Amino acid sequence: QAKSLGGNSYQIFDESMSQRAIDKVALEDEARGALVNDNFSFALQPQIELDTGKLVGFEALLRWEHPERGFVSPGYFIPILESTEFMLTLGYWCIESAFKLLKKFNTYGYPNLKIAINLAGIQFLDPDLIPYLEEKIKDTKLKPELLELELTERTLVSDVEKTTAIMQQLIDKGFIISIDDFGTGYSSLSYLKRMPAHYIKIDQAFIDGMVNNDADKQIVNSTVAMVQNLNMQVIAEGIEQQIQVDMLKDIGCDMAQGYFIARPIPEAILFDELEKYCSDGIWQYPKPGN
Ligand code: C2E
Ligand code: MG
Ligand code: MG
Ligand code: MG
């Protein structure tokens, strides 16, 4: 009995595995079509300097408008696409789009605003990445420090030697590097010590927790102190309430983003929103009625 049960559960496991494989192929296929049909776009979330309220730039978050399923979240499709060849194509499209936006910032009178983009592990390790970025800088004549590349701790720990070498090369070429979702990805203090990065983004889980949980508050506090002592800066993500802004200012956190400051803004209305909510370089928040 036990043996046949074991056999059964193996079979079920096997079926769900192949089901997932089919889903992945189907999704990859649909995503390819979506790129051709221009169904991908960015939503841009403001990043501000906490003590001054200055708008530093935006994180570009991918959006997929699916004809039947409506809006599909990157939290769903990126983890699946991440292990496909297509992720590279989509990734280069994102970089291309970021440069277009930076050009637009220049044209519309916001030449200092930065764009941060998220890089999947496969993109980060792609040997064409650095030559491609250098080519874009040459063509557009934009400053490399306007482009911030976010990689997760998970990418970092997948091959520390290799990733830190790539990070250092990107920094040497003038690009900005941040570590996303910090605190969730098993990177140890010894990695942090030799991590070539400008920014550490403290994961939303800790920012959520710090309001009611003293341990989370202490973790945020110590992380900010430690990161700053290592000559990097801290970005807090997922700020949803005034009290978090107050606490993070107290702690001395450098930068912030989150729904309380602004929700991700569809690219189509980005410049209208800039006109409305950014004056003298200061981002006005919370938005009335937010
Ligand atoms: P992430 O890079 O950590 O981005 C932050 C996510 O938190 C975004 O979700 C953002 O909309 C959301 N968020 C921001 N502020 C708040 C807040 O105050 N409260 C709450 N509850 N959520 C907030 P989104 O846009 O669904 O993106 C999810 C993840 O998908 C991103 O996490 C990133 O890992 C990935 N992703 C997004 N765009 C891209 C892309 O172009 N390329 C790659 N490789 N990954 C991407
Ligand atoms: Mg990110
Ligand atoms: Mg994040
Ligand atoms: Mg996240």
Side-chain angles (χ1 to χ4, degrees):
Q1 180 66 26
K3 202 175 173 190
S4 77
L5 237 179
N8 267 337
S9 64
Y10 178 73
Q11 208 179 3
I12 289 163
F13 179 65
D14 205 48
E15 262 172 27
S16 68
M17 288 276 287
S18 57
Q19 184 57 46
R20 245 184 297 158
I22 291 165
D23 287 348
K24 182 166 131 182
V25 171
L27 189 85
E28 186 182 355
D29 230 54
E30 282 198 78
R32 280 183 196 279
L35 191 60
V36 172
N37 292 323
D38 206 18
N39 289 329
F40 284 104
S41 63
F42 279 149
L44 291 310
Q45 187 171 41
Q47 297 185 319
I48 63 162
E49 204 173 75
L50 261 175
D51 60 352
T52 60
K54 187 184 140 203
L55 179 67
V56 177
F58 297 91
E59 179 174 2
L61 296 156
L62 200 56
R63 296 291 177 258
W64 177 357
E65 236 182 298
H66 190 280
E68 285 118 46
R69 285 190 271 175
F71 156 81
V72 192
S73 162
Y76 168 69
F77 65 80
I78 293 286
I80 299 173
L81 292 181
E82 220 163 12
S83 57
T84 71
E85 193 87 356
F86 178 66
M87 188 66 233
L88 283 180
T89 309
L90 185 59
Y92 283 114
W93 180 89
C94 287
I95 296 173
E96 188 78 32
S97 305
F99 274 102
K100 279 188 194 151
L101 246 179
L102 286 171
K103 273 244 127 159
K104 258 184 157 174
F105 285 158
N106 238 325
T107 318
Y108 285 67
Y110 302 95
N112 299 318
L113 290 181
K114 298 196 295 177
I115 297 280
I117 55 173
N118 295 279
L119 293 187
I122 186 177
Q123 276 181 275
F124 193 73
L125 297 168
D126 183 41
D128 292 336
L129 177 70
I130 293 177
Y132 185 88
L133 288 171
E134 285 190 284
E135 186 76 26
K136 292 306 297 177
I137 291 296
K138 232 178 83 196
D139 288 352
T140 59
K141 302 193 169 58
L142 288 161
K143 288 181 287 183
E145 59 265 33
L146 294 175
L147 186 69
E148 184 178 326
L149 305 165
E150 297 190 2
L151 66 145
T152 63
E153 262 183 308
R154 214 156 41 85
T155 298
L156 181 84
V157 299
S158 66
D159 185 343
V160 183
E161 291 300 321
K162 196 166 169 191
T163 40
T164 48
I166 297 170
M167 288 159 82
Q168 191 58 59
Q169 282 179 58
L170 287 164
I171 288 173
D172 291 344
K173 300 198 183 305
F175 297 100
I176 305 297
I177 301 287
S178 15
I179 307 297
D180 205 355
D181 303 343
F182 187 77
T184 64
Y186 315 104
S187 79
S188 71
L189 294 179
S190 62
Y191 295 159
L192 189 62
K193 190 178 76 180
R194 56 201 175 110
M195 195 133 64
H198 300 89
Y199 297 108
I200 300 291
K201 299 187 76 171
I202 299 189
D203 193 74
Q204 178 170 358
F206 301 103
I207 306 303
D208 280 348
M210 72 186 292
V211 177
N212 295 313
N213 183 315
D214 205 50
D216 279 327
K217 191 181 170 193
Q218 291 313 324
I219 289 170
V220 174
N221 204 343
S222 318
T223 304
V224 170
M226 184 175 62
V227 167
Q228 289 175 345
N229 280 323
L230 292 167
N231 293 316
M232 297 181 280
Q233 294 196 354
V234 182
I235 305 175
E237 58 178 353
I239 293 180
E240 295 183 344
Q241 314 167 47
Q242 180 69 54
I243 181 148
Q244 292 164 323
V245 173
D246 298 339
M247 288 170 90
L248 288 161
K249 272 189 184 169
D250 259 6
I251 288 171
C253 179
D254 303 282
M255 307 224 296
Q257 70 185 96
Y259 290 173
F260 183 74
I261 294 154
R263 289 191 175 249
I265 303 165
E267 202 178 325
I269 59 165
L270 183 66
F271 287 94
D272 295 337
E273 296 274 301
L274 263 172
E275 186 83 7
K276 265 192 224 157
Y277 299 108
C278 185
S279 49
D280 295 326
I282 306 295
W283 182 260
Q284 311 295 322
Y285 72 94
K287 205 171 174 172
N290 195 14

